[in-house]
Amino acid sequence: MRFAKQDIPVRTNKIDQAVEYERMIERGIAFHQSGELDKAEACYRKVLTSLPDHAGALHLLGVIMHQSGQSLTGIDMIERALKQLPDFADAHKNLAYILEQQGDTEGAIEHYRKAADHAADPLDSLIELGRLLLDGGNAAAALTTYDDAVRIAPDDFRGHLGRGNALLALEKFAEAAEAGEAALRTAPDDAQLHFDVAGIFRKLKKNEDAVRHLERAIDIRPDYVEAYLNLSNAVRDLGEKQRAIDLLSKAIEIKPTYAEAYSNLGSILIDEAMFEEALDCYRRAIEIDPKLPEAYVNLGSAMQILCLPEQALKAFQIALTLKPDQDAALWNLALTLHANGEVEDGWDIYGYGFASKQRNPYRPFPGLIWQGEDLKDKTIMVWREQGIGDDLHFSTCYHDLVEKAGHVVIECPPRLVDLYQRTWPRATVRAETVTSTGLGNYGQVDFDYTAPAGIAASILRRHIADFPSTARPLIADPEKRAAARDWLAGLGPEPKIGLSWRSSIKNPLRDVFATDLADWADLIRRQDVKIVNLQYGREEEDILKLQQELGLEIHRMPGLDTYNDLEGVAALTAELDLMVGSWNAAAEMAGAVAIPGLIFMPSRHSVQLGCPNLPWHPTMTVYPVMPGFDAKALTAKMTGDALSLLRNAGKL
C-alpha cells in the first residue's frame, strides 16, 4: 500500500489551520510507515475531529482500519474519502487492494481501473488490474491492460511478463514466448524473472527453454530452491529422471525442511515403482508441513496404485479439506469413490478429470454438454476420451443413446469408425478431430447436445443396477471374421485361446502389474489348446525371446497389426473360444465382442466400480492382483480355470 504525501486540497479559509492539519497528516504518515499504527491513527483522527470530511485523513485511517483487522470499517472510510475526491487515485488503489482481500474481485477491478485512470503514474495499478483480469479468465482485457503498461514503461519487466501470460491464455503461443524474452531483456540478471519466464515456457511445453532459464536463475541465485524444484519438473518431463532426483536432493540439501521437494521426489520414486521410498518422502513432507495439500494428493495417488482405496480416500479428503478447489484431488477422489463402490458420488465429480487435465481431449462446447435432458427428436454427439480401452468399455452405453435419441453422432479414433458404424447403423460415425471444440474452431455444429463418452456413461450407468447383465457385442466385419475363422481352422481342431500378457506401455510402474510371456509357458506348451497372440502392440520382442529361450511359439495371424488394425483384431477375437491374460485394450476388445475372458488387473480398480468383475463386460472374469504378486501362481490358476471353462463348455 502507498502512504506518500498527497496534494489533497483542504476546504478551509484558515491558512494556519490548513498548514497545521497538513503537518498532522505528515506526522501520521511517518508513524504509519514506521509501523506505529496507534500514533498514526491518533494523528488522522485529530484531523477528522475538526475536518470530518478530510479526504486524506479518511483514506489513511481507512487503511489503518484494514491493517488492524477492521476491513469493513476501512472500506467505508475510503469510500467516504472518494465521495469528497472522486479522482483520488491512491484511495482507489488501496480500496481495490482491500476489496480483493475481502473477495470482491469485481469491486477491486473497478477501483484499480479508476486508479489507473486518475494516477499520474498508473503503472502499478495497470499491473494489478491486468493480474485480476487474467486470473478471472478475461485474457483479452488483461492483454489490453498489459499493452498499456508496456507503452507507459517499456523497460519494466512486469508488463511484458503479464503480456506473456495473457497471450498464453489466448493460445497465442509464439507471441507469448516473445513477450517472455522481452521481459528478460529489461532485466537479464533477475533470477525471479528467469524463473517466471520459465513458467511460461513450461506451459508452452517448451521444456528445453524452461530448463535454460531455470538454470540461469540458479546461476544467479545458487540457493534458489524453488528454481531447483521447477527445473526438476522440467527435466523429468524430458525423461531425465536421475537428474530430476538429483535436483530435488540438492534442494533438500539447501533447505532440509522443503516439504514440496520431498513430495515431488516421492512422485518420481512412485513412477520407478520404489513404493516404500516414495511413501517415506510423502510422510516426511507431511511431517514438515501438515497443511501441504499436494503431499496428501500424491500420497492418495500412491495408495491408489497400491490398491488401497480406503487409505487413498482418507488422503484425498484431507487434501480437499486443506484446499477445496483442487481439480486433481477431486478427480482422484472420483476414481477412489468408484474403487470403493460409491458409484453415484464418483460420477458426480467425474468431470474434474478434464478440469485437472488428466482426461483428454478437452472439448468444452459451452452450453451444449448433455446433462441428461430428454433426447427425443434431438441429436447428440458423443466423443472418445482417453485411450482405446476406455473408448471400448464406454461405447457399451451407445446402444442406450441410439434408442433414446432422435439421432446419435459418434466421433471416435479412425481405427474404430467402421466397427462402430456397423454396430450402430442408425448413428453417424466419423473420425474424431480432437482439437475441435465449441470454442470457435469446430465448424458447423450439427447437434443439439454433446458429451464425452465418460460423462454420457455417468448419466446412463449411474448405478450398478443400470448395467445390463447380458452383453451386446460390437459387430465385427463378416469377411474378416470368415478369414480369421479359416486361419484358425488351419491351426487344428483344438480350442483357440487368445493371450495378452501385459500393457502395451512398458515402464517400471506398468511392469508391477504385468506378466512375462514366459510366465504362460505351461499354457503355451499344451497340446490340447492353441494359443493365439492378442497382445496389443510391441509383441515381437517378447515372442522372439520366448522362442529363443524356451523353444515355444504362439500363433500370430499373418498380416494382422494388433495395434493399428482394430477391425482385424475384433474379427479374430470374435472367432476365439476364450481370451486369457492382462487387462488392456485386447481384453476390452474381447469384452466388447462378448467372448468369455479371464483377465488379471490391479485389485479394486476404479473401472470395476466396486464389483468383483467388470460391469461393462459381463463375459469377463477378473483376477485381482496386488504389487508384488506371484506371476507363476497367477498364471497357473488362470490356466487351470481356462481349461475347466473349456471342458464345461464341451470344447475340450
Side-chain angles (χ1 to χ4, degrees):
M1 289 190 176
R2 184 175 175 183
F3 306 119
K5 178 177 179 295
Q6 301 293 304
D7 292 326
I8 303 167
V10 180
R11 301 177 188 277
T12 175
N13 294 323
K14 299 181 179 179
I15 302 301
D16 292 340
Q17 283 187 340
V19 172
E20 178 185 349
Y21 295 141
E22 287 303 305
R23 288 175 178 168
M24 188 64 66
I25 290 289
E26 289 176 356
R27 288 183 62 199
I29 290 173
F31 286 132
H32 205 156
Q33 290 175 332
S34 67
E36 299 177 85
L37 299 187
D38 291 344
K39 292 180 180 179
E41 180 179 347
C43 291
Y44 302 149
R45 288 194 182 279
K46 187 171 182 180
V47 173
L48 291 171
T49 299
S50 299
L51 297 174
D53 292 331
H54 190 289
L58 284 168
H59 164 228
L60 293 168
L61 185 56
V63 171
I64 284 186
M65 291 296 99
H66 168 69
Q67 292 174 312
S68 302
Q70 302 176 61
S71 296
L72 295 180
T73 302
I75 290 170
D76 179 66
M77 288 185 167
I78 298 176
E79 287 177 340
R80 286 171 56 194
L82 287 168
K83 285 183 180 178
Q84 302 302 313
L85 288 175
D87 296 346
F88 192 173
D90 270 14
H92 281 295
K93 182 179 173 182
N94 283 335
L95 179 56
Y97 174 84
I98 298 171
L99 289 171
E100 182 184 357
Q101 300 303 303
Q102 294 296 110
D104 183 0
T105 303
E106 290 303 316
I109 288 173
E110 175 189 353
H111 286 283
Y112 274 131
R113 186 171 278 122
K114 289 180 178 179
D117 288 342
H118 299 303
D121 180 5
L123 180 62
D124 289 346
S125 294
L126 287 170
I127 296 297
E128 296 303 317
L129 175 60
R131 175 182 59 82
L132 286 181
L133 290 168
L134 185 57
D135 289 348
N138 194 346
L143 179 60
T144 299
T145 302
Y146 286 127
D147 285 342
D148 291 341
V150 169
R151 277 193 291 271
I152 291 168
D155 294 331
D156 191 301
F157 73 85
R158 294 176 297 169
H160 295 288
L161 188 62
R163 286 190 76 250
N165 285 313
L167 289 163
L168 187 64
L170 292 168
E171 299 186 356
K172 296 182 178 181
F173 301 127
E175 293 176 64
E178 290 173 5
E181 297 290 1
L184 280 168
R185 286 194 290 273
T186 68
D189 296 325
D190 188 311
Q192 175 70 51
L193 184 53
H194 279 282
F195 180 89
D196 291 339
V197 170
I200 292 178
F201 283 114
R202 284 279 289 155
K203 292 175 183 175
L204 292 171
K205 300 187 185 303
K206 293 187 174 183
N207 284 304
E208 293 86 353
D209 291 311
V211 166
R212 174 166 53 88
H213 288 295
L214 289 165
E215 288 175 338
R216 179 59 181 145
I218 291 170
D219 287 342
I220 297 167
R221 194 194 307 172
D223 63 347
Y224 197 168
V225 292
E226 293 82 6
Y228 282 102
L229 184 78
N230 283 14
L231 180 56
S232 172
N233 291 335
V235 300
R236 178 185 178 185
D237 287 348
L238 291 171
E240 301 177 41
K241 291 183 180 179
Q242 186 56 56
R243 187 184 179 197
I245 291 172
D246 293 342
L247 287 163
L248 291 172
S249 299
K250 180 64 176 179
I252 291 168
E253 177 186 330
I254 296 169
K255 184 180 177 182
T257 58
Y258 196 11
E260 291 88 343
Y262 278 106
S263 181
N264 281 23
L265 181 56
S267 295
I268 298 177
L269 296 175
I270 279 288
D271 286 347
E272 296 302 301
M274 300 173 66
F275 299 126
E276 287 303 320
E277 295 88 343
L279 293 176
D280 285 343
C281 286
Y282 296 144
R283 290 169 183 141
R284 178 62 178 143
I286 291 168
E287 179 185 355
I288 294 169
D289 185 358
K291 294 186 178 180
L292 181 65
E294 292 80 9
Y296 291 99
V297 173
N298 287 340
L299 177 60
S301 297
M303 292 303 175
Q304 284 179 307
I305 292 167
L306 293 170
C307 309
L308 299 169
E310 288 88 359
Q311 294 185 43
L313 184 61
K314 291 177 183 177
F316 293 132
Q317 288 172 334
I318 294 171
L320 289 164
T321 299
L322 294 170
K323 187 179 178 182
D325 59 347
Q326 294 181 87
D327 294 337
L330 287 162
W331 163 238
N332 281 285
L333 178 61
L335 297 179
T336 304
L337 289 167
H338 277 179
N340 279 312
E342 300 177 54
V343 180
E344 189 171 3
D345 290 342
W347 283 137
D348 284 343
I349 55 175
Y350 199 76
Y352 282 100
F354 292 103
S356 66
K357 299 181 181 179
Q358 299 301 303
R359 295 193 74 78
N360 289 294
Y362 175 57
R363 305 177 70 185
F365 292 106
L368 295 176
I369 299 297
W370 184 48
Q371 303 291 333
E373 295 90 346
D374 186 0
L375 294 175
K376 184 180 180 181
D377 300 325
K378 301 291 185 181
T379 296
I380 181 170
M381 188 272 282
V382 285
W383 39 275
R384 185 273 308 175
E385 52 171 306
Q386 296 302 91
I388 293 295
D390 291 67
D391 200 52
L392 287 171
H393 70 246
F394 285 139
S395 75
T396 59
C397 299
Y398 294 169
H399 298 283
D400 297 26
L401 279 178
V402 169
E403 292 169 359
K404 289 176 178 290
H407 187 61
V408 175
V409 177
I410 300 170
E411 291 195 355
C412 63
R415 291 178 287 168
L416 289 171
V417 169
D418 291 341
L419 182 60
Y420 281 7
Q421 188 66 77
R422 190 180 306 107
T423 304
W424 297 288
R426 290 167 46 197
T428 298
V429 182
R430 60 198 185 201
E432 65 185 349
T433 305
V434 295
T435 57
S436 295
T437 73
L439 301 179
N441 64 347
Y442 187 79
Q444 184 177 0
V445 173
D446 55 356
F447 46 83
D448 302 294
Y449 297 105
T450 186
I455 298 302
S458 75
I459 296 169
L460 298 168
R461 299 289 185 266
R462 192 141 185 85
H463 310 94
I464 292 299
D466 296 329
F467 285 82
S469 58
T470 303
R472 300 178 67 178
L474 296 177
I475 301 175
D477 183 284
E479 292 185 5
K480 288 181 179 291
R481 282 194 67 165
R485 187 162 56 248
D486 290 344
W487 175 73
L488 290 169
L491 299 179
E494 298 85 359
K496 312 304 188 297
I497 300 176
L499 177 64
S500 181
W501 52 95
R502 59 168 170 80
S503 167
S504 63
I505 299 171
K506 296 188 72 173
N507 60 43
L509 197 53
R510 293 292 184 105
D511 290 348
V512 167
F513 296 102
T515 56
D516 290 329
L517 182 54
D519 293 328
W520 297 91
D522 288 346
L523 175 62
I524 297 169
R525 66 167 50 99
R526 292 187 66 91
Q527 299 300 307
D528 53 354
V529 294
K530 297 293 184 182
I531 307 302
V532 176
N533 175 60
L534 284 183
Q535 179 60 38
Y536 180 61
R538 301 181 182 178
E539 72 275 15
E540 292 84 358
E541 181 180 343
D542 290 352
I543 293 173
L544 180 61
K545 182 179 178 182
L546 180 76
Q547 187 176 27
Q548 291 175 341
E549 295 184 359
L550 298 178
L552 298 175
E553 190 170 0
I554 64 175
H555 299 282
R556 289 187 284 176
M557 186 171 178
L560 177 61
D561 180 342
T562 57
Y563 184 84
N564 291 303
D565 185 5
L566 295 184
E567 274 274 52
V569 171
L572 173 61
T573 305
E575 291 296 326
L576 296 172
D577 296 290
L578 179 65
M579 183 269 171
V580 173
S582 172
W583 173 62
N584 56 18
E588 289 284 352
M589 182 64 82
V593 298
I595 69 166
L598 308 180
I599 59 171
F600 68 91
M601 63 187 299
S603 177
R604 302 181 66 187
H605 195 281
S606 61
V607 76
Q608 293 178 261
L609 303 174
C611 299
N613 292 313
L614 279 177
W616 310 94
H617 300 309
T619 63
M620 309 301 284
T621 299
V622 169
Y623 291 73
V625 297
M626 299 283 286
F629 71 95
D630 185 333
K632 293 292 187 182
L634 172 72
T635 57
K637 169 65 174 169
M638 294 180 69
T639 294
D641 290 352
L643 297 173
S644 295
L645 191 152
L646 291 172
R647 289 190 193 100
N648 293 337
K651 296 183 178 182
L652 190 65

